[in-house]
Amino acid sequence: MRLPRLPLQYLAAFRAAALHQNLRAASEELNLTHSAVSQQIRALEVQLGFPVFDRQGRRVVLNAAGGALLRAVERAYQELDQGLRAATAAHGIEQRSLRVTVLPSFAQRWLLPRLGRWHALHPEVTLEIEATARLVDLEREKFDIALRQGLGPWPGVDSEPLFDLSMLPVASPALAHQLIGQPLEALAQAPLLGDPGQWEDWFAQAGLRRQVVPVAIFNDFGILLQAAEQGMGVGLTRELLAADALLDGRLVRVAPRQAMLKEPQRYHIVYRPGARHEPAVGAFIDWLHEETAQSRAALDGARTCLSTGRVTMPETAPADR
């Protein structure tokens, strides 16, 4: 049987509706009326000779045939996007902007203070950064790079690890000095900031079983670190997010780092398949690796603040970078 030739606008309407599962949202993305999107999908189904959606109230849900078609359409869109980028590069036009999505805490506490160094190296590249905890679709939303927390890999994208998610209790110098010479149990009695389950896991790995009732819980590590800097309590945080505050003395370690075995273990750099070879994308990824290596080396050079069973503190003068 000869397959029908499908107008591209039908496939665009189908793809948008399939991804949103809602015709109104699809119409907004395509800048069309709700009626136009509905008509194009019905015309598509007429040409195919079978439905691709099941209608469930205001939702449109892919059936088996629609799912098979969407997978093919997504592959075609990826190949078309790669072809356009290759044609642009062949014409001698370099990418002048990068769209990057990162977690807000990472953007605030680590990335932002270093962007000046990136700009000095690559003043020709404009960065468009979206700080969000939302998991974005790189292809559909036209992002070049994402920083994701998890085990990986993820289907449909390439990824590489950036850094491990070791956890570290930190406090302001004034609060930290109150723990000098005290047993580890004293840390459990101190005002604690952060998720109680994470604290209990951390104490268990340190050899202490303790139920934790924190004085405050935050949904963002950037806010947690601000509270710790202001002396509100001891915060349990990703070490790299606290790097600058640890190195300039705003925060002090009150225990060695520990991996959280029950949590996803790494931050990953995620990008479209093949995008690593694009000059701007590759340069930014390499720069991220270089900067995290420098942060890790500086943190490893600082003294650990916990001896066996007892809390001991270093001098609080800023460490050399």
Side-chain angles (χ1 to χ4, degrees):
M1 182 183 71
R2 185 175 181 180
L3 296 176
R5 293 183 179 180
L6 302 175
L8 291 179
Q9 67 267 28
Y10 291 2
L11 294 178
F14 162 76
R15 179 175 182 259
L19 295 173
H20 287 290
Q21 296 187 24
N22 182 282
L23 294 184
R24 189 167 301 281
S27 66
E28 291 175 356
E29 177 181 319
L30 298 172
N31 197 27
L32 296 172
T33 65
H34 179 281
S35 176
V37 172
S38 179
Q39 289 174 8
Q40 289 181 13
I41 291 174
R42 291 191 182 278
L44 170 67
E45 292 177 326
V46 168
Q47 282 201 247
L48 289 174
F50 51 81
V52 291
F53 289 108
D54 293 329
R55 274 69 175 180
Q56 299 179 1
R58 295 184 178 180
R59 295 180 63 211
V60 287
V61 180
L62 285 172
N63 57 27
L69 179 59
L70 179 62
R71 288 190 290 273
V73 169
E74 286 290 86
R75 287 194 298 270
Y77 266 79
Q78 290 178 6
E79 290 181 9
L80 180 60
D81 185 66
Q82 291 171 9
L84 289 172
R85 291 175 183 272
T88 300
H91 188 64
I93 302 175
E94 294 185 3
Q95 186 172 358
R96 297 290 182 176
S97 63
L98 282 177
R99 295 196 74 208
V100 183
T101 174
V102 300
L103 292 170
S105 56
F106 183 82
Q108 175 194 1
R109 300 294 304 198
W110 190 88
L111 182 60
L112 182 61
R114 290 162 176 79
L115 287 182
R117 293 204 285 268
W118 161 262
H119 179 69
L121 293 171
H122 301 278
E124 76 286 358
V125 179
T126 299
L127 287 180
E128 181 182 341
I129 295 176
E130 178 173 306
T132 178
R134 182 176 61 89
L135 187 64
V136 306
D137 184 319
L138 297 186
E139 189 68 31
R140 184 167 62 86
E141 300 183 53
K142 304 303 180 185
F143 280 97
D144 297 293
I145 296 172
L147 292 176
R148 289 184 180 171
Q149 176 185 323
L151 294 173
W154 293 271
V157 294
D158 292 341
S159 64
E160 52 194 83
L162 181 61
F163 62 90
D164 291 334
L165 297 180
S166 53
M167 301 292 286
L168 185 73
V170 296
S172 66
L175 177 57
H177 274 292
Q178 297 177 22
L179 301 172
I180 293 177
Q182 299 299 313
L184 183 61
E185 287 81 355
L187 179 58
Q189 299 299 324
L192 302 179
L193 307 174
D195 182 81
Q198 291 181 348
W199 268 114
E200 289 167 7
D201 289 343
W202 188 92
F203 279 119
Q205 291 181 63
L208 183 65
R209 298 286 179 180
R210 184 61 56 92
Q211 184 176 3
V212 173
V213 180
V215 298
I217 301 172
F218 304 94
N219 68 346
D220 181 87
F221 279 110
I223 301 174
L224 181 147
L225 287 167
Q226 288 181 349
E229 288 175 6
Q230 294 170 11
M232 185 176 180
V234 180
L236 185 64
T237 183
R238 316 291 187 201
E239 183 182 30
L240 203 69
L241 300 182
D244 292 345
L246 288 168
L247 294 172
D248 65 22
R250 285 176 287 137
L251 289 174
V252 180
R253 298 177 179 181
V254 295
R257 71 172 72 105
Q258 289 182 179
M260 296 297 288
L261 301 180
K262 294 183 179 180
E263 291 198 344
Q265 291 296 296
R266 286 181 173 175
Y267 269 72
H268 292 258
I269 307 171
V270 182
Y271 43 89
R272 293 172 285 99
R276 186 67 161 87
H277 302 295
E278 297 170 12
V281 173
F284 191 72
I285 293 173
D286 290 340
W287 177 80
L288 286 173
H289 283 298
E290 292 167 3
E291 288 288 340
T292 52
Q294 290 179 21
S295 293
R296 175 63 68 196
L299 288 168
D300 287 345
R303 282 182 285 173
T304 299
C305 306
L306 185 70
S307 60
T308 304
R310 302 185 73 81
V311 176
T312 59
M313 304 303 302
E315 298 176 3
T316 59
D320 292 336
R321 291 180 180 269

